[in-house]
Each structure stands twice: as structure tokens, then as C-alpha cells.
Amino acid sequence: MNRRLGVLISGRGSNLQSLIDAISSGRLNATIAVVISNLEGAGGLERARAAGIESMVVSHRGWPSRDDYDRALARELRARDVGLVCLAGFMRIVGGPLIDAFPNAILNVHPALLPSFPGVDAQRQAIDHGVKVSGVTVHLVTGELDAGPIVLQRAVAVLGDDTRETLSSRILEQEHLAYPEAVGIVLNGGWKVEGRRFVRL
Ligand code: GRF
């Protein structure tokens, strides 16, 4: 697979940073071709700049339709010869035109053990539900929210006195390990999607 990554962010970009660090330390053989944020002022843009990576804002506002926005993202990514798109705290639902442009080539990191607790505030959902184990899931992105084939998961114990903040920060540590590892697995090939399963050959 083409090892040029496009990373989409909306916020602080700590998962972006974990990819930057994994690449610079040689743990991940890849190049970040571009970082795109839908929001001005996303902290991750500064991280990209500091690492000398091209970054840009493509706002989700002002497009005639959601599909037009997705097409604009696909155009920017294609123009930079991106092979794998990494959603890293990108707070938009990715739609048809982008998924069609990158079939089985968009990854997302989610702070829960899917299919439990999809959508927003997964750590709060886990605490409110009273589960004793949660974690992180890296999955391929399909048209269904947080439901694509699972590449990798890591479990994190939920403690009796956990708050949203304490659980989030322990899950985040695992996200930072899991995401670069999953990107490496996908880039290295030797896998296929069978039904809803990501199968390593
Ligand atoms: C992470 O918890 C990620 O799992 C979720 O959004 C958060 C983004 O954090 N999708 P960051 O911007 O990567 O620091």
C-alpha cells in the first residue's frame, strides 16, 4: 500500500502526534503527506507545523451539501497522493464520496471497545453503563458510524472511582500505542476484509 498518510483532525491532535512520533522514531514506516482540520485553531495544526508537515483547514461550513464537503476532502487528499486516510479526532461523519475515493483505506481510532459505545463521549457512556472494561478500537471506516472492520483493540480496566477524565486519559495512552501499530498493520498488507471482519492472512 502507498505509505503516504492524510490525517484528518478537529482538535488537540494527540493521536496525530503519536503518528508523527512513531514515524520519526522509525517504529512506523510511513510519511504524513498532509494534515487537514475542519476547524481553524485546532491544536493539531500547530503540531503539524512544528513537525514540518503540510497542514490546511478545509472547513465543513459553506458547502452546498455534505457530499460536496467530502468530495473536497477527497480532492485534497488525492492531490497529495495519499494512500491511507487516518481520522484522528475528526469530529465529522465521513460520507460516501470520501469512502468511495478511499475504499478500505480510511482508519479511525475510537475510545471504547466497539461495538459498545459508538458515537460521541464514549468514555462517559462506558462509566454511565458501569462496564468494568473499556478500551480503544482502531477500525476501517465504512458508511456505518463506528461500525467498520476492527483492525486492533486494546482493553483498559474501568476503576470504581474513575471519572470521565481519569478513564479518558488511561484510554488515551493506549490509543497512542494502538493507532501507530494499526496503521503499520494496514500499510504492511497481508489482510483482507471478509464480511465485517478484518482478517490477517
Ligand atoms: C480521541 O480520544 C479519539 O479516540 C477520539 O477523539 C479523541 C481525539 O483526541 N476519536 P486527539 O485530538 O487525538 O488528542
Side-chain angles (χ1 to χ4, degrees):
M1 192 181 235
N2 162 359
R3 293 180 172 271
R4 290 173 62 78
L5 310 180
V7 183
L8 305 192
I9 62 167
S10 299
R12 71 191 158 180
S14 71
N15 280 288
L16 163 66
Q17 190 69 52
S18 78
L19 295 174
I20 293 172
D21 294 346
I23 291 168
S24 68
S25 72
R27 276 177 293 130
L28 175 61
N29 174 13
T31 304
I32 301 179
V34 65
V35 171
I36 302 177
S37 172
N38 66 310
L39 297 175
E40 305 261 1
L45 290 169
E46 190 40 52
R47 297 179 191 265
R49 273 180 222 121
I53 298 165
E54 183 190 0
S55 62
M56 63 196 297
V57 175
V58 182
S59 171
H60 57 281
R61 297 184 197 284
W63 300 92
S65 71
R66 253 183 47 184
D67 279 3
D68 287 298
Y69 178 56
D70 284 332
R71 271 190 284 272
L73 291 175
R75 239 185 346 260
E76 298 297 349
L77 294 162
R78 280 275 176 249
R80 288 159 183 84
D81 193 28
V82 163
L84 181 66
V85 180
C86 299
L87 309 184
F90 185 60
M91 299 303 284
R92 306 292 305 169
I93 292 175
V94 166
L98 188 52
I99 293 169
D100 293 346
F102 292 92
N104 282 339
I106 306 177
L107 278 176
N108 183 42
V109 58
H110 183 78
L113 293 178
L114 292 170
S116 290
F117 315 129
V120 295
D121 218 353
Q123 303 94 331
R124 156 73 54 210
Q125 293 184 53
I127 288 178
D128 288 350
H129 194 95
V131 293
K132 306 304 181 212
V133 178
S134 190
V136 51
T137 303
V138 182
H139 65 92
L140 293 172
V141 172
T142 60
E144 217 184 324
L145 179 67
D146 292 335
I150 292 169
V151 177
L152 189 149
Q153 292 184 304
R154 281 173 182 260
V156 173
V158 182
L159 308 178
D161 59 355
D162 260 333
T163 62
R164 184 191 176 281
E165 286 65 36
T166 58
L167 179 61
S168 296
S169 86
R170 290 206 315 289
I171 290 177
L172 196 61
E173 281 174 31
Q174 296 304 315
E175 293 185 41
H176 296 162
L177 298 173
Y179 210 13
E181 185 182 343
V183 169
I185 289 170
V186 170
L187 289 179
N188 286 339
W191 55 270
K192 64 177 176 179
V193 171
E194 220 174 63
R196 51 153 308 100
R197 294 191 313 138
F198 180 93
V199 181
R200 295 181 76 175
L201 304 170

